[in-house]
Amino acid sequence: DAKTTQPPSMDCAEGRAANLPCNHSTISGNEYVYWYRQIHSQGPQYIIHGLKNNETNEMASLIITEDRKSSTLILPHATLRDTAVYYCIVRIANFGNEKLTFGTGTRLTIIP
Amino acid sequence: GAGVSQSPRYKVAKRGQDVALRCDPISGHVSLFWYQQALGQGPEFLTYFQNEAQLDKSGLPSDRFFAERPEGSVSTLKIQRTQQEDSAVYLCASRTGSENIQYFGAGTRLSVL
């Protein structure tokens, strides 16, 4: 799976949009971008994933650049409960390649 | 609905003791995963089951680590002769056969003294 690079930490004011970047310059054509987050003392929680088109669900939006070498996770109206470590993972999403390879992620702190 | 359940939530063991960690996946989930998370690090893959078959155990750090899922539902991760370096959070995840999203439990925090 392709390696990802994320900033170690970010702050965001409550109520503002939180934009979390991820670089994956070695991504290959059949690799998806997945985002998980881990709130303190909990297991990782799936947020969203995409291949090349932008995606949106009830939690977040995922913007993938046209060359697919980077992406941004957007939390549109951050709340204090969004304080967590956010992991960007690039992987082939077939059922023979099963494991998730986590990096160290971005520690997002929402400021009241 | 019920999520992935892990027990115990916390386990303290003396060095050299054997421990068993339990995972109850989401009902009907075909695949089950174990991960190890050291303090300040992201989770690292240990092993993977599809039903009762252990298809990948490449992440198990030594032969002291053993996992089983005999009836294709509940899984147990066993660590023999625990060492201090085994102290970590052990996470279990499961997924359906059709959706490639893993759902995680809250983990078991193992402290080896």
Side-chain angles (χ1 to χ4, degrees), chain A residues 82-102:
Chain A
D82 292 321
T83 292
V85 178
Y86 287 76
Y87 296 99
C88 170
I89 299 166
V90 174
R91 64 187 292 260
I92 298 170
N94 63 21
F95 289 91
N97 177 40
E98 299 297 341
K99 61 185 175 184
L100 294 173
T101 302
F102 291 83

Side-chain angles (χ1 to χ4, degrees), chain A residues 34 36 38 40-47 49 85 87 91-105 107, chain B residues 9 31 33 35 37 40-45 48 50 56 58 91 95-107 109:
Chain A
Y34 279 73
Y36 280 76
Q38 189 171 23
H40 184 62
S41 296
Q42 297 183 21
Q45 176 191 24
Y46 167 80
I47 302 173
H49 74 284
V85 178
Y87 296 99
R91 64 187 292 260
I92 298 170
N94 63 21
F95 289 91
N97 177 40
E98 299 297 341
K99 61 185 175 184
L100 294 173
T101 302
F102 291 83
T104 51
R107 182 173 298 278
Chain B
R9 283 297 315 275
S31 300
F33 306 80
Y35 293 81
Q37 186 171 22
Q41 302 296 315
E44 292 193 357
F45 171 81
Y48 152 64
Q50 185 169 309
D56 185 350
S58 62
L91 294 161
R95 69 158 178 79
T96 70
S98 58
E99 183 185 50
N100 209 334
I101 296 170
Q102 295 182 26
Y103 297 90
F104 285 79
R109 180 177 296 278

Side-chain angles (χ1 to χ4, degrees), chain B residues 6 21-23 32-36 44-49 67-68 75-77 90-93 108:
Chain B
Q6 293 189 245
L21 313 179
R22 177 187 171 105
C23 174
L32 184 145
F33 306 80
W34 284 99
Y35 293 81
Q36 179 190 57
E44 292 193 357
F45 171 81
L46 293 177
T47 187
Y48 152 64
F49 291 84
E68 60 183 6
S75 176
T76 304
L77 177 66
Y90 291 86
L91 294 161
C92 176
T108 294

